Amino acid sequence: MESLEFELRDEYIPLCDLLKYCGITETGGMAKQLIDEGMVQVDGEVELRKRAKIRTGQVVSGDGFEIHVA
């Protein structure tokens, strides 16, 4: 499993943008599809909102990846 740390520079980042910026998906459209399919979890719970506000301290995970937001 790939474990990444993402340093947040603002109050939050939309979930679909986080997946794209961390290289989990190549495009925002691919990120949205992954979220639509229920393949992404935030703090252990499936997240279906593409633009969910991800904040410092949260963990975003899925098949083969885990992103710690710092």
Side-chain angles (χ1 to χ4, degrees), residues 26-46:
E26 292 182 19
T27 66
M30 290 173 70
K32 290 175 183 177
Q33 183 177 4
L34 198 64
I35 296 165
D36 277 342
E37 293 174 358
M39 303 296 290
V40 179
Q41 296 182 348
V42 176
D43 295 333
E45 299 289 328
V46 172

Side-chain angles (χ1 to χ4, degrees), residues 6-60:
F6 180 82
E7 186 176 334
L8 192 60
R9 295 194 174 124
D10 293 312
E11 183 182 343
Y12 67 89
I13 183 169
L15 178 57
C16 58
D17 292 347
L18 177 66
L19 296 176
K20 183 176 70 173
Y21 294 153
C22 288
I24 303 303
T25 61
E26 292 182 19
T27 66
M30 290 173 70
K32 290 175 183 177
Q33 183 177 4
L34 198 64
I35 296 165
D36 277 342
E37 293 174 358
M39 303 296 290
V40 179
Q41 296 182 348
V42 176
D43 295 333
E45 299 289 328
V46 172
E47 180 59 74
L48 298 174
R49 296 173 297 154
K50 298 172 197 73
R51 302 207 43 88
K53 295 177 180 179
I54 306 301
R55 301 176 192 277
T56 300
Q58 290 190 291
V59 177
V60 176

